[in-house]
Amino acid sequence: MTPPRPGQTSLAQGTFSELNPPYRLLLGPGPCNVDPRVLRAASAPQLGHLDPFLLDTLGAIADQLRQVFQTQDELTLCVSGSGFAGAEAVLCNLLEEGDTLIAGSLGFFSGKIAEIAQRIGAHVILVESEPGQPLDPQQVAAAFARHPEAKLFATAIAETSTGLLQPLEELEQITHAHEALFVVDAVSGLGGIPINIEQMKIDACYAGSQKCLGAFPGLAPVTLNGRAVEVIKRRRKPVQSYYLDLLALQRYWNGDHAYHHTACSNLLFAMHEALRIVLEEGLETRWQRHRLHGQALRAGLQALGLTLLPRPGYELPVLTAVNLPPSVSENQLRQQLLTAYGLEVGGGLGSLKGHLLRIGLMGYNACRKNVETVLAALEQLLPSHGWPVQAGVALSAAATVYSQADQASEHA
Ligand SMILES: Cc1ncc(COP(=O)(O)O)c(C=O)c1O
């Protein structure tokens, strides 16, 4: 007989018990735990997707997003879907079959830009970096020199598979010197690291709701400037995706609100509250909070004798990728963290599978308690993997970072 599925009490009677999911501390690459205010916002009474109250809420969210992205761009909204829906939306609206795109791949996630563009039928010129290394601007310049017809260059500011923070300034200058569009994946970064669409001269950007913005998965904020919108308006053929047609979505969000699809009111309520929290905290304060806790976590991990994957100076504050010694089983360690501590962290992707932990401190989860929890758990578990550690060494290294930050703020 087939074993019962989780939550199913009796196959014979076809009855199902109420689900009672375990509490997890989500310190992986996202989703992260949301602020209780966001949970409460999501439990408000449901509304129809054309209800005047919901339509006003869409307008408010678009305004909040403009503040968070730091842009006046009119085409700023959430696509219904996760971060990759935002990626597909931006790319399939800007690219047509036969167009050339230069894709800056830093790893698994920015690597998907090339795959998505290929599926659209674009001609993809791939520029790659080694895991944990930023892109070499000279290689991007060389790709543009070979392909002056390139319509856009796209990469990520925060590569979540390797914990890398990619500097954008030179890449932007090269892209715009060739009059191409500058497109950025900010799925992991928005709300946690400095992103200023207008100052950084980003033409189109997509993000995710479930990471540093501190909402649930299922909404992908996107923003496109006038130049990018002109490119869409001048398309030879309509966008092949009905669902991700950004001008139609803009009409629903910000125009005559014509029906486009059934947006989920409660996800939007949660997003509104998450963005209220971001703006109440203030962007600079929030970036500083993520920087501080990322720094404390890295200090603790290094005190355990572990090394970090990204090149020094390019570490992403919101997600730390730490190399595991050969004696440590990534799979077993993650299982132990989950079962003994209710703590979820990420593992390596692709060629990094089996060798890496990815620890996220994003949004509501970027706090000292969580840094200390994950460090204490690793201190306990690593010796059983043949990696001896001195008790208390990681927490004490993190504490030093916190006390130095306290002293610096007293003297400021
Ligand atoms: C940099 C980056 N881009 C894209 C994605 C895809 O987002 P989602 O899983 O929400 O579709 C992720 C997810 O982790 C990411 O980190």
Side-chain angles (χ1 to χ4, degrees), residues 29-31 81-87 108-110 112-113 156-161 185-189 206-211 217-220 316 319 349 358 362:
S82 71
F84 277 139
F108 183 89
F109 291 103
S110 45
K112 293 289 174 217
I113 291 169
I157 185 169
E159 173 54 59
T160 328
S161 66
D185 170 334
V187 172
S188 272
Y206 56 91
S209 44
Q210 76 273 24
K211 301 191 189 233
L219 290 171
L316 185 57
L319 183 115
L349 291 169
R358 293 184 300 134
M362 296 176 171

Side-chain angles (χ1 to χ4, degrees), residues 83-94 116 119-120 206 241 244:
F84 277 139
E88 299 240 39
V90 166
L91 293 169
C92 83
N93 278 265
L94 293 178
I116 293 169
R119 287 171 186 243
I120 293 167
Y206 56 91
S241 166
L244 299 176

Side-chain angles (χ1 to χ4, degrees), residues 237-266:
K237 282 189 184 167
V239 179
Q240 64 271 40
S241 166
Y242 165 79
Y243 196 71
L244 299 176
D245 181 329
L246 284 174
L247 297 185
L249 276 170
Q250 168 73 342
R251 208 176 139 194
Y252 167 58
W253 269 69
N254 200 24
D256 62 1
H257 302 303
Y259 167 77
H260 174 266
H261 71 291
T262 308
C264 172
S265 58
N266 297 56

Side-chain angles (χ1 to χ4, degrees), residues 282-302:
L283 293 174
E284 296 278 348
T285 312
R286 195 171 174 93
W287 299 333
Q288 174 52 27
R289 172 165 64 86
H290 284 85
R291 239 189 324 265
L292 172 66
H293 298 298
Q295 196 189 340
L297 176 65
R298 292 196 301 276
L301 294 168
Q302 286 171 321

